[in-house]
């Protein structure tokens, strides 16, 4: 037997608490036959409370958190093309006519995107490494550094090329580092090392993605930056120009 009940069914778990539960009797009771088919054995359609008058209210009920298979496939394709959450929700709203007609909440969509993130992460890391290898093949002075956490996930990623390192050799007396924004897909901060040339123009020295701004992460960022620029030598620094 299976019962599909109203969200107001039953009593509050704790007494003296605000709850919508008021023992609503509305339900659909299903029974299963010997050949595993189901049939409706009982249907109570009367509720003992007022009903939500529009979709804008009903989408906040637990029964409307489910996202249909078609919308899931669409979300997966949009995430694959690096659309942010607001843009994805807006595109889905255009399929349903208006944002008010979308049958699930933005929070439900965010939860789905969070589940799809790990599935996409492995592929994106592989693509990033392939791009870096291609850049290294075309520019022998291109180099990068990767910091992994205890579970083997990327915690920090820094890169630079021969032109940037040459700029540092001339204009590396004063260097500024700042994190400009945080990515929405992997929740990593993007930072830049910037110098100033003899024409008072900003010159890019290196880029970095980091998961947090802890002391450990900052120590890794600055020490690896010095290694890449020739101020120190790490064990895997094989691409530093002479």
């Amino acid at each position: 037997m299976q019962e599909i009940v109203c969200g107001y069914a039953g009593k509050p778990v704790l007494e003296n608490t605000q709850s919508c539960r008021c023992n609503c009797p509305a339900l659909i009771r299903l029974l299963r036959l010997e050949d595993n088919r189901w049939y409706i054995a009982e249907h109570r359609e009367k509720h003992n409370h007022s009903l939500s008058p529009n979709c804008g209210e009903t989408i906040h009920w637990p029964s409307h958190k489910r996202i249909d298979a078609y919308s899931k496939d669409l979300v997966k394709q949009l995430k694959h093309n690096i659309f942010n959450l607001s843009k994805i929700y807006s595109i889905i709203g255009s399929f349903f006519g208006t944002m008010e007609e979308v049958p699930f909440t933005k929070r439900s969509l965010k939860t789905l995107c969070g589940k799809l993130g790990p599935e996409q992460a492995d592929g994106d890391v592989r693509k990033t490494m392939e791009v870096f290898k291609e850049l290294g093949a075309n520019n022998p002075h291109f180099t990068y550094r990767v910091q992994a956490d205890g579970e083997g996930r990327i915690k920090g990623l820094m890169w630079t090329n021969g032109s940037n390192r040459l700029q540092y050799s001339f204009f590396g007396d004063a260097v500024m580092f700042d994190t400009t924004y945080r990515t929405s897909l992997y929740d990593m901060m993007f930072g830049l090392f910037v110098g100033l040339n003899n024409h008072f123009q900003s010159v890019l020295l290196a880029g970095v993605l980091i998961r947090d701004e802890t002391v450990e992460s900052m120590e890794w960022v600055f020490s690896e930056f010095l290694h890449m620029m020739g101020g120190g030598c790490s064990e895997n620094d094989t691409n530093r120009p002479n």
Side-chain angles (χ1 to χ4, degrees):
M1 182 189 72
Q2 292 288 333
E3 289 185 348
I4 303 174
V5 300
C6 174
Y8 282 75
K11 296 181 179 180
V13 178
L14 300 176
E15 296 182 358
N16 300 324
T17 59
Q18 290 185 349
S19 173
C20 66
R21 297 185 180 276
C22 59
N23 281 323
C24 179
L27 64 77
I28 297 176
R29 179 175 290 121
L30 303 173
L31 296 180
R32 188 164 59 181
L33 299 171
E34 294 181 357
D35 58 0
N36 289 327
R37 289 184 301 161
W38 294 86
Y39 70 96
I40 297 176
E42 184 177 359
H43 176 212
R44 304 177 193 166
E45 61 176 323
K46 296 296 183 181
H47 296 261
N48 62 358
H49 55 86
S50 59
L51 302 180
S52 299
N54 54 56
C55 180
E57 291 186 18
T58 56
I59 62 172
H60 294 284
W61 288 99
S63 58
H64 289 73
K65 290 183 178 180
R66 180 181 175 276
I67 302 178
D68 62 274
Y70 173 80
S71 297
K72 285 183 179 180
D73 289 340
L74 176 60
V75 171
K76 190 172 184 178
Q77 291 298 322
L78 293 174
K79 273 186 62 63
H80 182 72
N81 288 280
I82 320 297
F83 283 97
N84 59 37
L85 180 63
S86 298
K87 187 65 175 179
I88 292 175
Y89 196 66
S90 177
I91 293 174
I92 290 178
S94 67
F95 278 87
F96 285 94
T98 63
M99 302 296 294
E100 290 74 19
E101 296 298 323
V102 177
F104 47 83
T105 63
K106 194 172 183 178
R107 178 176 295 180
S108 299
L109 182 62
K110 183 177 181 180
T111 301
L112 174 61
C113 290
K115 293 179 179 178
L116 293 175
E119 298 177 6
Q120 187 177 348
D122 293 339
D124 287 348
V125 170
R126 176 180 52 79
K127 292 176 183 177
T128 301
M129 295 299 103
E130 289 176 355
V131 170
F132 278 8
K133 288 180 180 179
E134 183 179 350
L135 290 173
N138 297 328
N139 182 351
H141 299 311
F142 175 84
T143 186
Y144 62 93
R145 296 289 186 273
V146 178
Q147 181 189 32
D149 60 15
E151 299 179 1
R153 298 175 301 180
I154 291 181
K155 185 178 180 181
L157 180 64
M158 187 188 306
W159 62 94
T160 188
N161 58 36
S163 175
N164 299 147
R165 298 160 85 183
L166 184 62
Q167 295 276 24
Y168 177 81
S169 66
F170 291 116
F171 312 113
D173 294 328
V175 177
M176 180 186 73
F177 173 75
D178 188 27
T179 51
T180 58
Y181 67 89
R182 182 182 290 272
T183 64
S184 58
L185 186 59
Y186 297 115
D187 197 29
M188 296 183 74
M189 287 169 286
F190 175 66
L192 288 172
F193 282 93
V194 180
L196 194 68
N197 66 16
N198 56 321
H199 298 290
F200 299 100
Q201 298 170 328
S202 297
V203 291
L204 180 63
L205 303 177
V208 61
L209 283 168
I210 50 176
R211 192 182 302 169
D212 53 53
E213 292 182 297
T214 61
V215 173
E216 178 188 0
S217 295
M218 291 298 101
E219 287 179 347
W220 178 84
V221 167
F222 289 112
S223 63
E224 292 301 327
F225 174 76
L226 289 177
H227 289 321
M228 290 196 303
M229 295 300 154
C233 182
S234 63
E235 295 179 357
N236 57 350
D237 190 3
T238 60
N239 297 322
R240 191 171 69 245
N242 297 325

